[in-house]
């Protein structure tokens, strides 16, 4: 990395005349002297300009070629664009400490950018995933020049609701996928000692073997002190932290929602691992806007996975308008962001609805004032005898399944962020539903459309022979051909039933074997129309590995990796123990 600057002129991958007058690789000096590599893209013509900044650990210079937005068009629209590697990554100095480092570093980066002669003193930020976290972190670090955020696929709300945990269960699959594949290789390459570098590469290869053969995900793996790459050992260490740990709050807005006092444009996907965090942020920011008169957040949700905005996933094509390149004739994602930044940084008039969501099933975009829309009603569908799912609770009954930690149920689509062959999206559930440890209920074929638009949750009454249990619930759409595809899903660990899923407040407690326990499982939200002739289907399973940590069926408050045991789950239903699916539905469907 150069200490000074380098400029480049001429053509790049952009079509036509290059909108960039100058590409300047420079360094941003932080308060402790650490220098971050930053690529500045400077427009033609006289400045200064408002600046747009993205910061992440994945080689920010790649944004010019293959980023979420077309940065050439941002520059052509008259924005100074800055692409920055965070501390300890690629061209930047320092040691990478995820999340914790981004508050001060982000605030310093914004102040540095705003102070450049090419900048008019105002800054907006954009980016997905970690690059969304860095936006909120900079704001929390006190960055007065930061005037607008555009976070996509964001885990910034909380570390406990789809980032490191969900329903009290460690997200071991996505954690290892991230640290092993996305983070470790660059960190290993930065090791100065050849001997230490070779030793760490050997650990990387051992982790790769453990991921491939599944041993990395055996029951209790996060608590067993598993030997992964030392350079990213913090990944599993954070899964061993108690849910209420302050480390889970670092860089998150869970306790600081009032600090988010600038306009926010949230982008999410119905099959994104961070959908819950994205929607919870929107709910809280909208509530704050109503209470204080502050900026109303904007929300865009497509039928997308964490890293695929094509509108095609798990063998389902939602149509050409579902792609982020088209958005149903409303311009692509770059166009949407330019409109947003023109409104928030240049005081252009707002010309779009606050909320646009893609309604799956009928495959069209819906414009709303808020999500879920006013006028939704609650529909409860009860689990009954014979696998029937109906609007009334019938006589008492039960279904049993065996939870064997040595033979966990594999994930099959859904809002996952894993590695092959575990892709995200509305996957066919046939192979999973054929297992003896997965039990299902379904409605009769529908005679009309049923549109779910909002929160989905399940209430399951369960007894177990163990003193802890995991309950996974999937909402599926079963077509007339019998193919059942996941719409949304969720998980809840019994010992964490009384822990707030966003804040981590509350204590764990064991289950009493043989006693009825009520599990409430949050399946997040969706916008999906079940068409005539289709069935609403509910699947219940005891595990989903390698997505989530395999429960041991043993209460383990001290994290001592208790020896797993086989347990029998009995799901009870009927008027006295009304196990049920709870949906927010809307009639008529907004146009």
């Amino acid at each position: 990395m150069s200490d000074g600057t380098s400029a480049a002129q001429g053509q790049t991958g952009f079509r036509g005349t290059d909108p960039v007058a100058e590409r300047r690789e420079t360094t941003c000096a932080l308060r402790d002297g650490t220098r971050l590599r930053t690529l500045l893209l400077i427009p033609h013509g006289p400045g200064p300009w408002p600046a747009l900044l993205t910061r992440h650990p994945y080689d920010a210079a790649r944004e010019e070629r293959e980023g979420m937005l077309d940065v050439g068009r941002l520059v052509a629209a008259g924005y100074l664009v800055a692409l920055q590697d965070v501390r300890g990554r690629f061209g930047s100095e320092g040691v990478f400490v995820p999340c914790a480092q981004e508050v001060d570093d982000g605030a310093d980066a914004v102040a540095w950018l705003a102070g450049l002669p090419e900048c008019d003193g105002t800054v907006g930020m954009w980016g997905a995933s970690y690059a969304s976290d860095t936006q909120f972190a900079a704001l929390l670090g006190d960055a007065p020049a930061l005037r607008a955020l555009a976070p996509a696929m964001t885990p910034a709300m909380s570390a406990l609701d789809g980032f490191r945990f969900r329903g009290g269960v460690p997200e071991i699959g996505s954690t290892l996928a991230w640290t092993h594949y996305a983070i470790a290789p660059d960190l290993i390459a930065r090791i100065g000692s050849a001997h230490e570098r070779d030793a760490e590469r050997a650990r990387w290869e051992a982790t790769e073997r453990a991921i491939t053969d599944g041993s990395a995900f055996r029951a209790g793996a996060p608590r067993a002190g598993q030997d992964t790459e030392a350079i990213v050992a913090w990944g599993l260490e954070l899964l061993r932290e108690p849910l209420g740990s302050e480390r889970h709050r670092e860089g998150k807005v869970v306790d600081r929602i009032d600090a988010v006092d600038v306009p926010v444009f949230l982008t999410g996907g119905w099959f994104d691992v961070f959908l819950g965090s994205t929607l919870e942020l929107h709910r809280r920011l909208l509530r704050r806007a109503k209470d204080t008169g502050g900026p109303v957040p904007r929300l865009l949700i497509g039928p997308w996975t964490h890293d695929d905005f094509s509108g095609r996933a798990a063998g389902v094509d939602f149509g050409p308008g579902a792609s982020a390149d088209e958005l149903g004739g409303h311009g692509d994602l770059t166009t949407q962001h330019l409109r947003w930044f023109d409104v928030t940084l240049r005081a252009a008039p707002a010309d779009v609805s606050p909320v646009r969501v893609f309604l799956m099933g009928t495959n069209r975009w819906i414009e709303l004032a808020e999500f879920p829309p006013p006028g939704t009603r609650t529909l409860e569908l009860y689990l009954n005898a014979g696998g029937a799912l109906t609007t009334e609770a019938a006589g008492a009954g039960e279904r049993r399944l065996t939870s064997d930690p040595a033979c966990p149920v594999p994930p099959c689509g859904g809002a996952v962020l894993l590695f092959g062959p575990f892709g995200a999206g509305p996957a066919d559930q046939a192979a999973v539903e054929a297992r003896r440890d997965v039990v299902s209920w379904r409605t009769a074929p529908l005679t009309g459309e049923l549109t779910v638009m909002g929160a989905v949750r399940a209430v399951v009454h369960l007894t177990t022979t163990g003193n802890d249990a995991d309950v996974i619930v999937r909402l599926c759409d079963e077509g007339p051909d019998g193919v059942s595809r996941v719409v949304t899903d969720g998980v809840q660990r019994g010992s964490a039933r009384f822990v707030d899923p966003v804040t981590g407040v509350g204590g764990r407690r064991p289950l009493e074997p043989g006693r009825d326990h009520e599990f409430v499982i949050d399946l997040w939200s969706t916008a999906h129309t079940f068409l005539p002739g289709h069935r609403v289907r509910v699947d219940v399973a005891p595990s989903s590995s390698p997505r989530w940590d395999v429960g041991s069926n043993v209460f383990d408050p001290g994290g001592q990796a208790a020896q797993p045991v086989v347990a029998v789950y009995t799901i009870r239903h009927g008027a006295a123990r009304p196990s049920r699916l709870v949906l927010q539905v809307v009639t008529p469907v907004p146009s």
Side-chain angles (χ1 to χ4, degrees):
M1 182 177 62
S2 171
D3 290 340
T5 64
S6 62
Q9 303 280 345
Q11 299 294 320
T12 66
F14 303 114
R15 295 182 178 180
T17 303
D18 189 352
V20 181
E22 180 183 358
R23 286 172 177 78
R24 182 188 306 161
E25 184 174 307
T26 185
T27 57
C28 163
L30 303 176
R31 66 188 70 180
D32 64 358
T34 301
R35 295 171 298 179
L36 306 185
R37 181 184 70 162
T38 308
L39 178 61
L40 293 177
L41 306 178
I42 302 171
H44 290 279
W49 301 273
L52 299 179
L53 168 67
T54 192
R55 311 181 63 249
H56 62 65
Y58 310 119
D59 187 1
R62 293 171 55 190
E63 291 289 326
E64 196 175 6
R65 304 184 305 275
E66 54 191 56
M68 184 181 81
L69 302 183
D70 184 337
V71 298
R73 286 168 55 197
L74 302 182
V75 179
Y79 288 97
L80 171 67
V81 171
L83 313 175
Q84 186 174 88
D85 294 330
V86 300
R87 178 188 295 258
R89 296 294 290 169
F90 291 90
S92 290
E93 298 175 345
V95 176
F96 180 62
V97 182
C99 297
Q101 68 185 30
E102 307 305 349
V103 175
D104 290 343
D105 288 4
D108 288 355
V110 169
W112 169 82
L113 182 58
L116 294 178
E118 295 87 357
C119 182
D120 68 2
T122 60
V123 178
M125 293 183 71
W126 92 92
S129 198
Y130 196 101
S132 72
D133 247 21
T134 59
Q135 298 176 50
F136 288 101
L139 196 67
L140 297 180
D142 188 15
L146 185 54
R147 307 293 176 81
L149 308 182
M153 313 312 198
T154 181
M157 182 67 220
S158 167
L160 307 180
D161 194 23
F163 181 53
R164 295 187 190 123
F165 297 85
R166 186 165 173 197
V169 182
E171 291 271 359
I172 187 171
S174 59
T175 295
L176 270 181
W178 183 61
T179 59
H180 178 69
Y181 294 111
I183 301 299
D186 176 64
L187 296 187
I188 294 171
R190 296 165 70 97
I191 298 174
S193 162
H195 175 73
E196 293 178 7
R197 190 166 57 249
D198 289 345
E200 196 62 18
R201 282 177 176 157
R203 292 190 189 97
W204 191 95
E205 292 168 358
T207 300
E208 178 71 6
R209 290 192 295 271
I211 288 174
T212 302
D213 66 24
S215 60
F217 308 106
R218 66 187 184 279
R223 298 177 295 282
Q226 179 178 323
D227 183 26
T228 60
E229 305 95 311
I231 206 161
V232 290
W234 40 260
L236 289 183
E237 287 173 2
L238 286 166
L239 299 187
R240 292 191 279 268
E241 287 281 328
L243 294 176
S245 170
E246 286 299 317
R247 294 186 68 187
H248 296 317
R249 288 175 157 77
E250 292 174 338
K252 302 299 181 183
V253 300
V254 59
D255 300 318
R256 300 282 307 279
I257 200 71
D258 288 344
V260 185
D261 56 358
V262 301
V264 177
F265 173 15
L266 292 158
T267 299
W270 292 128
F271 300 103
D272 174 42
V273 68
F274 302 141
L275 174 66
S277 177
T278 301
L279 291 177
E280 185 64 23
L281 263 168
H282 180 259
R283 282 190 287 270
R284 297 193 183 202
L285 291 174
L286 181 60
R287 187 183 312 130
R288 182 176 184 274
K290 290 179 177 180
D291 292 343
T292 66
V296 173
R298 188 177 164 201
L299 179 67
L300 175 70
I301 306 283
W304 306 322
T305 71
H306 187 73
D307 52 9
D308 188 341
F309 290 56
S310 69
R312 298 182 298 275
V316 174
D317 188 338
F318 290 98
S323 167
D325 291 334
E326 296 191 27
L327 296 175
H330 286 262
D332 65 4
L333 204 56
T334 300
T335 298
Q336 294 290 320
H337 279 71
L338 280 172
R339 288 174 179 168
W340 171 253
F341 287 125
D342 285 346
V343 169
T344 54
L345 301 182
R346 287 178 163 151
D351 63 348
V352 295
S353 299
V355 175
R356 293 189 76 229
V357 299
F358 190 86
L359 180 59
M360 299 179 290
T362 55
N363 295 349
R364 58 194 176 96
W365 290 96
I366 303 290
E367 296 191 354
L368 303 168
E370 59 185 81
F371 181 86
T376 59
R377 63 182 178 87
T378 299
L379 173 65
E380 296 186 322
L381 297 175
Y382 293 86
L383 282 55
N384 284 314
L389 191 62
T390 67
T391 56
E392 298 289 338
E398 61 183 41
R399 299 274 295 278
R400 292 185 178 181
L401 61 86
T402 298
S403 170
D404 183 355
C407 186
V409 180
C412 186
V416 302
L417 179 57
L418 294 171
F419 33 81
F422 305 109
D428 180 352
Q429 300 296 295
V432 170
E433 291 172 345
R435 291 177 57 112
R436 296 180 64 183
D437 52 359
V438 177
V439 291
S440 303
W441 288 260
R442 60 182 188 162
T443 64
L446 301 177
T447 57
E449 291 186 354
L450 175 65
T451 296
V452 181
M453 196 175 291
V456 180
R457 62 187 176 94
V459 179
V460 176
H461 287 262
L462 179 140
T463 65
T464 175
T465 57
N467 64 0
D468 207 348
D470 291 347
V471 176
I472 286 90
V473 178
R474 292 189 181 93
L475 169 64
C476 301
D477 183 332
E478 182 181 320
D481 58 0
V483 175
S484 171
R485 294 187 177 274
V486 62
V487 176
T488 187
D489 58 10
V491 61
Q492 181 62 53
R493 179 157 288 174
S495 58
R497 287 175 303 138
F498 302 105
V499 178
D500 187 286
V502 176
T503 66
V505 173
R508 291 183 181 268
R509 63 185 73 172
L511 302 180
E512 182 180 329
R515 177 185 171 186
D516 177 71
H517 297 279
E518 183 180 83
F519 285 64
V520 179
I521 301 96
D522 183 2
L523 281 67
W524 287 343
S525 296
T526 192
H528 182 91
T529 295
F530 293 84
L531 298 173
H534 288 233
R535 301 173 189 255
V536 180
R537 182 171 180 138
V538 173
D539 296 338
V540 179
S543 52
S544 184
S545 177
R547 181 182 186 180
W548 289 309
D549 168 45
V550 179
S552 63
N553 294 315
V554 177
F555 181 56
D556 184 20
Q560 301 303 311
Q563 185 66 30
V565 300
V566 175
V568 176
Y569 294 1
T570 302
I571 300 168
R572 303 186 185 280
H573 49 77
R577 295 182 176 88
S579 295
R580 62 201 183 274
L581 179 70
V582 184
L583 307 171
Q584 280 186 285
V585 300
V586 59
T587 306
V589 179
S591 61

